[in-house]
Amino acid sequence: MSLLVSFFPLLGPAVLALAALGASRSSGDRSARAIRLTWVAARINLALATAGAIFVILAGGSQSPVLGVGGFGFAVRLDALSAILFLLVAFVGTIVIAYSRSYLAGDDRHGRFVAGLCSALAAVSLLVVSGNLVQLIFGWIAASVAIHRLLLFYRNRPGAIVAARKKFWVARMGDACLILAVGFLVAAFGTADLAQVSVAVEAHTARGDMPGFVPAAAMLLAVAAMLKSAQFPTQGWLLEVMETPTPVSALLHAGIVNAGGFVIIRLADVMLTSPNAMYALAIVGGTTAVVASVVMLTQTSVKVTLAWSTVAQMGFMLFQCGLGVFAAAVLHIVAHSLYKAHAFLSAGSTIDVARLSAFQKATRLAAPRLASAVLGSAALLAAALIVWGAPSLVEPSHALLGGILALGLAQLLVQTAHDRVILPRTLLTAGFLAIVYVGLQGLSQHALSAALPAPHASMHGSSLVLAVAVVLFAAIALVQWFAPYRRRDPRWQAMYVHARNGFYANAVFSRLVGALRHPLHSAHQEKL
């Protein structure tokens, strides 16, 4: 009985995989039955994820034995981290598959399309409950292969072929980094069990004799996560997946792209052995967040804007990981996934809202109003800290994240500062958001305290990294505030052109991977 309890989370990915296998062979009139099959499988997976979360709350989680040979194979590690993300993936996946039941209705390949979604959902579910490094690699690669097939659902679209080829090369580089990192960890500790790796890292850290392979593995894990999470300048493939059906974009942006961050958080104890790897995550993630936030302001396509938003959010999530605030990164993953799935599935409504807001006239931004908004948002955040009594959230890294939130609240206050009727409501909303933010941060720290290592004192972020981050994020806020009033400035117009093209990083990357020389282009050239 105890063995069954240990392995029950694997039933969800297994049921999804079987449903996907059955639905992939359907076409035409048989698609309706296949769609019902995948819908039932998704709900079973959600029920198992919910049961797993309840089990963790009541029993504190479990670690299953290994199904394999010599300690290598499949195992389940069910703790607060895996339970939260398993429930998140299952919930988002169920919503996406429910949306897809009527999407592409009448298409002969409707059943096969939903089968592809089911396969991707099974792979990600398998990844987040991994208790063994072999299973971690298998789930990582399987998710990549599943999404690659979905990117090529419309094989006659040149844009889809370009995106798929870029994704292929980026994914293979990430796979190689992850496999090498796992090899280094196995060579250092002689085990592929994640729990035993954590214990071994803690023991070697206490003795001060960490094997040299471990910091190298941490750096490789950082590179793999950057590639998986579409960090600058390899973000181009994520921006060009709009040729795929909308449910694919929702599942990709709300789930699969988070795999890099999950691996970093799951192996957080390994990451803490290498300050260089942590700084690399902070620097690359922070740079990506800054660049993507600026580029996002210049886009005219709703879906492309959402894609750049995902790039920025993934950069910010890895930035949090680099600072060592892993619980905050988990909270960020949950919030972003729920928001982004809704944003893609309701993209039509987003267009309507954007059209309505286009008729609103911007008022001139005065310096006193801006200063008042910044001070007011900082006061609201300080009041929220007092309400919750959360002294741990005033550590340097958490203080930086709070400062970034204050800039966001200031943006909200600036937009309504000229209206005396709306301003009180905005203040109440901003105060509520500050209280919710601090409360959720404290809750995530408490819930994940047993699943995540406590970062070393030196890993709260170096003073230089924190100082640069403050300057960069403040610069983004200033650009967002003043850009609408500088549209006629020739210097802004020149910068606008460069930003709208993503500072040409995607064009350079396209040439490097040969993505522009796909079969359709070759066939066209032969006809000429």
Side-chain angles (χ1 to χ4, degrees):
M1 184 65 180
S2 60
L3 190 63
L4 179 61
V5 171
S6 299
F7 282 106
F8 83 88
L10 288 182
L11 294 176
V15 170
L16 287 169
L18 291 174
L21 181 61
S24 63
R25 300 176 180 177
S26 66
S27 61
D29 296 336
R30 291 181 295 176
S31 293
R33 181 181 299 177
I35 294 169
R36 286 195 298 268
L37 180 64
T38 56
W39 172 231
V40 171
R43 286 188 290 180
I44 292 174
N45 189 53
L46 179 58
L48 290 169
T50 304
I54 295 173
F55 178 78
V56 169
I57 294 173
L58 298 178
S62 65
Q63 174 72 38
S64 74
V66 179
L67 289 178
V69 179
F72 298 89
F74 290 82
V76 173
R77 186 177 183 182
L78 192 60
D79 56 9
L81 175 61
S82 58
I84 290 172
L85 293 183
F86 186 23
L87 184 59
L88 171 68
V89 169
F91 177 73
V92 172
T94 302
I95 297 299
V96 169
I97 289 179
Y99 181 92
S100 302
R101 294 176 68 190
S102 58
Y103 194 88
L104 295 182
D107 193 308
D108 287 340
R109 296 189 299 157
H110 190 186
R112 297 182 182 181
F113 171 71
V114 181
L117 293 175
C118 234
S119 298
L121 181 58
V124 180
S125 299
L126 185 67
L127 172 68
V128 297
V129 298
S130 297
N132 193 277
L133 290 171
V134 172
Q135 181 178 336
L136 193 75
I137 293 175
F138 183 84
W140 173 285
I141 296 177
S144 179
V145 172
I147 201 66
H148 184 83
R149 293 175 63 88
L150 288 169
L151 292 181
L152 289 175
F153 185 74
Y154 293 124
R155 295 180 177 273
N156 60 335
R157 293 186 177 181
I161 296 174
V162 170
R165 178 168 293 188
K166 287 183 182 179
K167 176 65 172 65
F168 175 84
W169 286 108
V170 172
R172 296 298 76 77
M173 290 188 289
D175 296 346
C177 289
L178 180 62
I179 293 172
L180 282 174
V182 168
F184 285 161
L185 292 177
V186 172
F189 303 124
T191 180
D193 185 87
L194 283 169
Q196 294 181 21
V197 168
S198 298
V199 172
V201 169
E202 184 178 354
H204 282 284
T205 300
R207 294 195 302 265
D209 61 346
M210 189 66 63
F213 282 142
V214 180
M219 184 59 74
L220 287 169
L221 289 172
V223 175
M226 294 173 196
L227 293 170
K228 194 76 167 182
S229 299
Q231 297 299 280
F232 189 84
T234 63
Q235 80 287 345
W237 65 269
L238 188 63
L239 308 173
E240 296 174 349
V241 299
M242 302 308 146
E243 294 288 342
T244 63
T246 296
V248 179
S249 298
L251 185 60
L252 173 63
H253 287 258
I256 294 176
V257 77
N258 294 319
F262 166 75
V263 170
I264 293 295
I265 297 168
R266 172 52 81 196
L267 294 168
D269 42 12
V270 175
M271 298 303 303
L272 289 173
T273 65
S274 174
N276 290 334
M278 298 290 285
Y279 294 150
L281 284 174
I283 293 170
V284 174
T287 302
T288 300
V290 170
V291 172
S293 297
V294 172
V295 174
M296 182 182 66
L297 298 174
T298 65
Q299 303 303 306
T300 55
S301 168
V302 172
K303 279 193 171 184
V304 174
T305 300
L306 290 175
W308 275 108
S309 170
T310 297
V311 173
Q313 295 296 333
M314 289 300 98
F316 191 69
M317 182 266 295
L318 291 183
F319 173 73
Q320 291 172 314
C321 291
L323 295 181
V325 285
F326 299 107
V330 174
L331 180 61
H332 192 105
I333 288 175
V334 173
H336 173 259
S337 296
L338 296 176
Y339 152 71
K340 196 52 62 72
H342 175 268
F344 270 102
L345 296 181
S346 61
S349 301
T350 304
I351 294 174
D352 293 336
V353 172
R355 287 174 176 172
L356 290 174
S357 63
F359 292 98
Q360 298 177 358
K361 293 184 179 179
T363 58
R364 185 173 181 82
L365 186 60
R369 183 189 303 169
L370 178 59
S372 300
V374 172
L375 292 176
S377 60
L380 290 174
L381 186 60
L385 287 170
I386 295 174
V387 168
W388 287 105
S392 64
L393 298 182
V394 297
E395 295 170 348
S397 297
H398 286 100
L400 171 61
L401 299 181
I404 294 172
L405 173 68
L407 291 174
L409 295 179
Q411 172 75 5
L412 184 65
L413 296 177
V414 163
Q415 292 175 347
T416 58
H418 63 283
D419 194 320
R420 296 182 179 180
V421 177
I422 300 179
L423 181 59
R425 301 177 186 177
T426 306
L427 285 171
L428 289 175
T429 301
F432 174 75
L433 291 175
I435 291 174
V436 169
Y437 168 81
V438 175
L440 289 177
Q441 289 284 14
L443 180 61
S444 64
Q445 281 188 341
H446 175 73
L448 294 165
S449 59
L452 297 176
H456 305 299
S458 62
M459 293 313 301
H460 287 300
S462 70
S463 57
L464 178 60
V465 172
L466 292 176
V468 171
V470 169
V471 172
L472 290 178
F473 283 103
I476 290 179
L478 291 174
V479 170
Q480 291 177 333
W481 288 331
F482 289 104
Y485 314 99
R486 307 289 294 178
R487 292 179 179 177
R488 296 183 179 181
D489 189 325
R491 292 172 296 181
W492 164 248
Q493 291 177 350
M495 183 58 66
Y496 179 90
V497 173
H498 300 314
R500 187 173 181 180
N501 288 279
F503 300 104
Y504 312 103
N506 189 31
V508 174
F509 186 64
S510 296
R511 294 188 178 186
L512 288 176
V513 300
L516 298 179
R517 298 189 298 273
H518 53 76
L520 290 183
H521 283 176
S522 301
H524 180 67
Q525 290 176 356
E526 290 177 1
K527 290 181 180 179
L528 294 177

